[in-house]
Amino acid sequence: MANAIRNRMQLHQQNIQSVLAQVFNHQPISRIEISRNLALNKSTVSSLYKDLKELGYVEELGEGEASNVGGRKPVLLAINRRYGYTLNFDFGYRHLHIMQNNLSGDILSYSQVNVKNLTLNQILPLIDEQIEKAAKMGNTSHGLLGISFAIHGTVDRNQVTYSPFLIMDDVDLAKRFTEKYQVPVLLENEANAAVVYERDFNASNEHLNNILTISVHRGIGAGLIINQSLYRGTHGEAGEIGRSLQVGAGADNNTKKVEDYCSEDAIINQISEAKDNIPLNRQDVVELYQQGDEVTSRAIATFVENMAKIIVNTTNSFDPDAVFLNSPLIESLPELTSRIETAYQAMVPSISIPIKLTKNSHYATLLGGCALVTRQVLDMEDFKLNFAAQANV
Amino acid sequence: MANAIRNRMQLHQQNIQSVLAQVFNHQPISRIEISRNLALNKSTVSSLYKDLKELGYVEELGEGEASNVGGRKPVLLAINRRYGYTLNFDFGYRHLHIMQNNLSGDILSYSQVNVKNLTLNQILPLIDEQIEKAAKMGNTSHGLLGISFAIHGTVDRNQVTYSPFLIMDDVDLAKRFTEKYQVPVLLENEANAAVVYERDFNASNEHLNNILTISVHRGIGAGLIINQSLYRGTHGEAGEIGRSLQVGAGADNNTKKVEDYCSEDAIINQISEAKDNIPLNRQDVVELYQQGDEVTSRAIATFVENMAKIIVNTTNSFDPDAVFLNSPLIESLPELTSRIETAYQAMVPSISIPIKLTKNSHYATLLGGCALVTRQVLDMEDFKLNFAAQANV
DNA sequence: TAATTAGTTTGTTCAAACAACCAACTCACA
DNA sequence: TGTGAGTTGGTTGTTTGAACAAACTAATTA
């Protein structure tokens, strides 16, 4: 309540933003409906809308259906999909994922570029290439509006603070790209982007106040929505559950972390070791499991058990409305979700929190980044924006 | 942003509350200073203050010092300490703790009543007795304003949902006491009350956005301040870290919880068992430790190690600005705090979060309850209120 | 006395509310 | 099929009221 609005100018500004949020969340929508939703007089809404239209963010789509008891047809308003676009990147282990979205969150394009064994400095020109490619299409009035990067590590104040899988070479991504393209550039932890995706792109999550996603990739991390907003922690390290230690294990075992037991890398290594260190990747493990391989099926059973415990521990800490699992491995073996849920339910006495699998986790991360940077572009950071209608995945 | 203020009436109401918050947090304060702090015109502040004065919450204390370059003396405003009082209870294992506070959070009285081996239905008349005793003093204009109860268990929607140490006998505390005394009655988990104490009563915590308290009593629980407000979880079960399981321990060890290793009860039992089951209490353990008893000092060393791990795990999850320990056992053996901090720092690679001990943890719980119910009385739930100046403990 | 600061009084401002209007539709009924 | 009553969406011109600004009073220092 420190930076609350206090005078009429601020109130006016906020009301303009509220109207924009209404257009965003309920497009196509008429002025009269906005007036009812916001409990503002219809003439007030008309006047506020006029200001928004001058900014170019919104447009009229034409007339809608009249009420079935008569009356004038409403004019339907919507976000201007030809205003501009954001570019959203995800640094995967093998591929750089790229998504282009308009101001409303629609996917304009998706592609991936092979970056295996490349250094960051080798990847940067590939990103420039993508940005220029998008600029050449030139089918919007304002072009590139913002850029987001999903980082498989921790981020604080728009800087990468820890990146175990990609050496950063002292590159300041935000600085480099803002200076070069003169648009907002946003860095966000991959699990955080994923949980923003669940909040903003999943219509069925609209009424959830507290959401937890658990990302199982090369490491393990959690993303947290608390009271409808992303919780990053004081140093951007909230949700780093993979670094948890075993309580009660004795002082000799102080270094074994959760992600040493059940990250994707850990599972693959376990199986590989049991098989005379033959090199394996995720696809190999999936095939071994489907062939009924003894070693693999035991490793997966342990993984299921440990995942259930991780869910018990994190839900005991956060008590969310729902838990989402974000894991390419589980996605490849969908039955694991219900096995994990069963194991979890056996461990908790009373309240059991629903566990769901996020499909197409790469899209989730990119769309989460899109939602975050779009808010920044529109200066709507504190508003609830529903991108769900636009997610034609 | 769903329940944002939109019209001038709501704005006016909020501004009245902002002025009240200023008086509360900076008393004694003049109108002109409030005007500067809130960036509101001084005539506006004067007018808003007039409304507040009619409610009786505030009063004029007399004149302050004039500026040293000349000018009229300011009139100092403050919270009306004779408006009324709240009564705040804490159900301890041995004692019922009772505190009476005025609207500003000053401690008017503190006492404890022996309730060992009493059932809740035997305790209730003792509470009534305390309430009547306070009423007889009758030195305020509005008398009893609100009641809070700190619960050593979980609370959801003002109902006790889990109470391992005191059988609730289906008593609805909130219902019973609101109906009987016609004031707001608030139930809150003890760790949650403790963390509210840290936020509201500790001046040095004023700028902390995220605070974590770990309560070690008969069980282990955490209290969470996130973005300056109490986070209770969807079902009031956030911070139930005592129920966490060991990841990687094998399926045979699914039931051992964190609090089975290092609650106060667990430590005492460990030592007791090693000594042919002689019955021990906390004071006995403290004395054994101070006498250098071998068994006890080994048990405490393990406790220190496990506490450090618990702190690692919870800070990995929440990434707070600071951690406060709330434990009568640690309070009795103050050197443990630094031992725990040292062990913790040895376990974390980079960012190390300060660990502090909450002194007089019973007071903390009661004052936290006071802060919560006082907000409710004043209808100032969403405002930052600083009770620190008043805590003359 | 002049300069300065606190607080009040009085009149102004402007964004939201209101009231009256126009526009455009449905539906019943002739 | 044509008309008019009823309904709904949106605009226009006026009113309202909380915050503001300026001019005031009050009380201080130097």
Side-chain angles (χ1 to χ4, degrees):
Chain A
M1 233 36 186
N3 46 6
I5 63 164
R6 294 222 173 71
N7 60 41
R8 275 177 314 175
M9 265 167 58
Q10 290 165 1
L11 183 66
H12 186 62
Q13 193 52 42
Q14 200 204 51
N15 282 343
I16 290 177
Q17 293 179 103
S18 295
V19 171
L20 179 54
Q22 283 288 318
V23 174
F24 201 102
N25 295 338
H26 305 293
Q27 57 185 317
I29 189 175
S30 65
R31 275 163 266 238
I32 196 74
E33 211 178 329
I34 295 174
S35 152
R36 282 194 284 254
N37 291 347
L38 294 179
L40 285 172
N41 191 282
K42 56 182 179 171
S43 60
T44 307
V45 171
S46 271
S47 148
L48 295 169
Y49 176 78
K50 230 175 253 168
D51 294 4
L52 269 180
K53 203 181 161 183
E54 270 171 33
L55 294 172
Y57 294 156
V58 289
E59 61 179 1
E60 273 118 84
L61 280 189
E63 295 184 327
E65 284 303 290
S67 149
N68 58 358
V69 289
R72 179 175 172 175
K73 282 180 180 168
V75 178
L76 297 179
L77 313 176
I79 296 294
N80 178 2
R81 285 169 157 74
R82 266 159 277 109
Y83 183 83
Y85 59 87
T86 60
L87 282 172
N88 306 288
F89 297 89
D90 178 4
F91 289 101
Y93 173 54
R94 287 192 186 76
H95 298 97
L96 173 71
H97 302 259
I98 306 116
M99 190 181 271
Q100 186 186 11
N101 302 76
N102 65 20
L103 204 52
S104 190
D106 297 311
I107 299 170
L108 301 179
S109 73
Y110 167 77
S111 57
Q112 45 187 48
V113 175
N114 197 314
V115 293
K116 202 174 174 188
N117 300 323
L118 297 189
T119 68
L120 180 61
N121 276 311
Q122 291 171 313
I123 298 173
L124 291 179
L126 301 178
I127 295 175
D128 287 323
E129 214 171 88
Q130 292 293 324
I131 295 175
E132 279 149 32
K133 199 175 106 192
K136 277 198 192 109
M137 293 175 66
N139 43 7
T140 60
S141 58
H142 289 71
L144 181 65
L145 302 172
I147 302 172
S148 81
F149 292 105
I151 305 293
H152 290 247
T154 56
V155 174
D156 192 24
R157 301 170 199 195
N158 230 19
Q159 303 282 323
V160 176
T161 48
Y162 175 67
S163 173
F165 308 118
L166 179 68
I167 294 141
M168 289 306 295
D169 292 331
D170 282 325
V171 175
D172 184 336
L173 284 172
K175 187 160 174 260
R176 181 184 187 281
F177 286 97
T178 350
E179 283 179 359
K180 192 154 181 182
Y181 300 102
Q182 301 289 318
V183 292
V185 175
L186 188 142
L187 275 60
E188 188 52 89
N189 166 271
E190 164 271 331
N192 288 348
V195 78
V196 167
Y197 163 80
E198 292 299 341
R199 180 192 61 184
D200 290 348
F201 276 89
N202 210 330
S204 56
N205 296 340
E206 201 181 350
H207 298 291
L208 305 187
N209 288 314
N210 309 304
I211 309 176
L212 172 67
T213 63
I214 301 178
S215 281
V216 186
H217 294 92
R218 304 198 67 194
I220 293 186
L224 290 163
I225 294 291
I226 285 182
N227 291 328
Q228 303 255 17
S229 71
L230 178 63
Y231 177 61
R232 312 188 70 266
T234 299
H235 320 86
E237 309 227 338
E240 286 297 313
I241 57 173
R243 303 180 192 166
S244 291
L245 306 171
Q246 280 190 343
V247 175
D252 49 323
N253 209 350
N254 275 352
T255 51
K256 269 276 196 173
K257 298 187 185 77
V258 156
E259 58 195 7
D260 299 329
Y261 290 99
C262 59
S263 63
E264 192 174 308
D265 276 21
I267 305 302
I268 294 175
N269 287 343
Q270 268 169 41
I271 299 168
S272 173
E273 273 174 35
K275 292 188 177 296
D276 299 328
N277 288 315
I278 56 165
L280 295 173
N281 64 26
R282 184 196 313 139
Q283 197 45 45
D284 300 329
V285 169
V286 169
E287 278 162 23
L288 281 168
Y289 178 80
Q290 281 161 346
Q291 286 157 19
D293 177 71
E294 186 69 16
V295 168
T296 307
S297 101
R298 249 185 292 127
I300 294 289
T302 310
F303 171 69
V304 166
E305 197 74 13
N306 282 330
M307 278 304 299
K309 286 183 185 171
I310 289 175
I311 296 170
V312 170
N313 293 356
T314 46
T315 54
N316 276 339
S317 291
F318 294 112
D319 187 18
D321 294 278
V323 177
F324 291 86
L325 300 180
N326 216 299
S327 158
L329 179 63
I330 300 176
E331 226 177 306
S332 308
L333 296 168
E335 78 220 60
L336 293 191
T337 311
S338 59
R339 284 181 63 185
I340 290 169
E341 188 157 20
T342 307
Y344 159 71
Q345 277 164 354
M347 292 175 188
V348 289
S350 52
I351 300 169
S352 142
I353 292 162
I355 298 170
K356 290 164 193 170
L357 181 69
T358 299
K359 276 159 197 118
N360 215 334
S361 56
H362 276 305
Y363 267 46
T365 310
L366 293 163
L367 290 169
C370 163
L372 289 168
V373 75
T374 300
R375 265 164 225 275
Q376 206 163 306
V377 168
L378 293 174
D379 193 23
M380 296 280 283
E381 265 102 342
D382 296 333
F383 282 79
K384 186 171 176 174
L385 293 185
N386 168 28
F387 292 72
Q390 286 70 54
N392 37 12
V393 183
Chain B
M1 239 27 192
N3 47 5
I5 63 165
R6 295 224 172 72
N7 60 43
R8 276 176 314 178
M9 266 167 58
Q10 290 165 1
L11 182 67
H12 185 61
Q13 193 51 41
Q14 198 203 53
N15 282 343
I16 290 177
Q17 293 180 102
S18 295
V19 171
L20 179 55
Q22 283 289 316
V23 174
F24 201 103
N25 295 338
H26 306 293
Q27 55 185 315
I29 187 173
S30 65
R31 274 165 268 238
I32 197 74
E33 211 179 329
I34 295 175
S35 150
R36 283 193 284 255
N37 291 347
L38 295 179
L40 283 173
N41 191 282
K42 56 181 180 171
S43 61
T44 306
V45 171
S46 270
S47 149
L48 295 169
Y49 176 77
K50 231 175 253 168
D51 293 3
L52 269 179
K53 202 181 164 185
E54 269 172 33
L55 293 173
Y57 294 156
V58 289
E59 61 180 2
E60 273 117 86
L61 279 189
E63 295 183 327
E65 285 303 290
S67 150
N68 59 358
V69 289
R72 179 177 171 175
K73 282 180 180 168
V75 177
L76 297 179
L77 314 176
I79 295 294
N80 178 1
R81 284 168 158 72
R82 267 158 278 108
Y83 183 83
Y85 59 86
T86 60
L87 282 173
N88 306 289
F89 297 89
D90 179 3
F91 290 102
Y93 173 52
R94 289 191 185 74
H95 297 96
L96 173 70
H97 302 260
I98 305 114
M99 189 180 271
Q100 186 186 12
N101 302 76
N102 64 20
L103 204 52
S104 191
D106 296 313
I107 298 170
L108 301 179
S109 74
Y110 167 78
S111 58
Q112 46 187 50
V113 174
N114 196 314
V115 292
K116 201 175 175 189
N117 299 324
L118 295 189
T119 66
L120 180 61
N121 276 310
Q122 291 171 314
I123 298 173
L124 290 179
L126 301 176
I127 295 174
D128 286 324
E129 215 172 86
Q130 293 293 325
I131 295 175
E132 279 148 30
K133 200 175 106 190
K136 276 199 193 107
M137 296 175 67
N139 43 7
T140 59
S141 58
H142 289 73
L144 181 64
L145 303 172
I147 301 172
S148 80
F149 292 106
I151 304 294
H152 291 246
T154 55
V155 174
D156 192 25
R157 300 170 198 194
N158 229 20
Q159 303 283 323
V160 176
T161 47
Y162 174 67
S163 173
F165 308 118
L166 179 66
I167 293 142
M168 289 306 295
D169 293 331
D170 282 325
V171 175
D172 184 336
L173 285 171
K175 189 163 172 256
R176 181 185 186 281
F177 286 97
T178 352
E179 282 178 0
K180 192 154 183 180
Y181 300 101
Q182 301 290 317
V183 293
V185 175
L186 187 141
L187 276 60
E188 189 52 90
N189 165 272
E190 165 271 330
N192 289 348
V195 79
V196 168
Y197 163 81
E198 293 300 341
R199 181 192 59 184
D200 289 348
F201 277 89
N202 210 329
S204 55
N205 297 340
E206 201 182 350
H207 297 291
L208 305 188
N209 289 315
N210 309 305
I211 309 176
L212 172 67
T213 63
I214 301 178
S215 281
V216 186
H217 295 92
R218 303 198 66 197
I220 292 186
L224 290 163
I225 296 290
I226 285 183
N227 291 330
Q228 303 254 18
S229 71
L230 178 63
Y231 177 61
R232 313 187 68 266
T234 300
H235 319 87
E237 310 228 337
E240 287 297 314
I241 56 172
R243 303 180 192 166
S244 289
L245 306 172
Q246 281 190 344
V247 175
D252 50 322
N253 209 351
N254 275 352
T255 52
K256 270 277 198 174
K257 300 186 183 76
V258 157
E259 59 195 6
D260 299 329
Y261 291 99
C262 59
S263 63
E264 193 174 308
D265 277 20
I267 305 300
I268 295 174
N269 288 343
Q270 267 169 42
I271 299 167
S272 173
E273 271 174 35
K275 292 188 177 292
D276 300 328
N277 288 315
I278 56 165
L280 295 172
N281 62 27
R282 185 196 315 139
Q283 197 45 46
D284 300 328
V285 169
V286 170
E287 279 160 22
L288 281 168
Y289 177 81
Q290 282 161 346
Q291 288 157 17
D293 177 71
E294 186 71 16
V295 168
T296 306
S297 96
R298 249 183 295 127
I300 294 288
T302 309
F303 171 69
V304 165
E305 196 75 13
N306 281 330
M307 278 304 299
K309 286 182 187 172
I310 288 175
I311 296 169
V312 169
N313 293 356
T314 47
T315 54
N316 277 339
S317 290
F318 294 112
D319 186 19
D321 294 278
V323 177
F324 291 87
L325 300 180
N326 216 298
S327 157
L329 180 64
I330 301 175
E331 226 178 307
S332 309
L333 297 169
E335 77 218 62
L336 293 192
T337 311
S338 59
R339 284 181 60 187
I340 290 170
E341 189 158 18
T342 307
Y344 158 72
Q345 278 164 354
M347 292 175 188
V348 289
S350 52
I351 301 168
S352 140
I353 292 161
I355 297 171
K356 292 165 192 170
L357 181 69
T358 299
K359 275 159 198 120
N360 215 333
S361 56
H362 277 305
Y363 268 45
T365 309
L366 292 163
L367 290 169
C370 163
L372 288 169
V373 75
T374 300
R375 264 164 227 275
Q376 207 164 306
V377 168
L378 293 174
D379 193 23
M380 297 279 284
E381 265 103 341
D382 295 333
F383 282 80
K384 185 171 178 174
L385 293 185
N386 168 28
F387 291 74
Q390 287 69 54
N392 37 14
V393 183

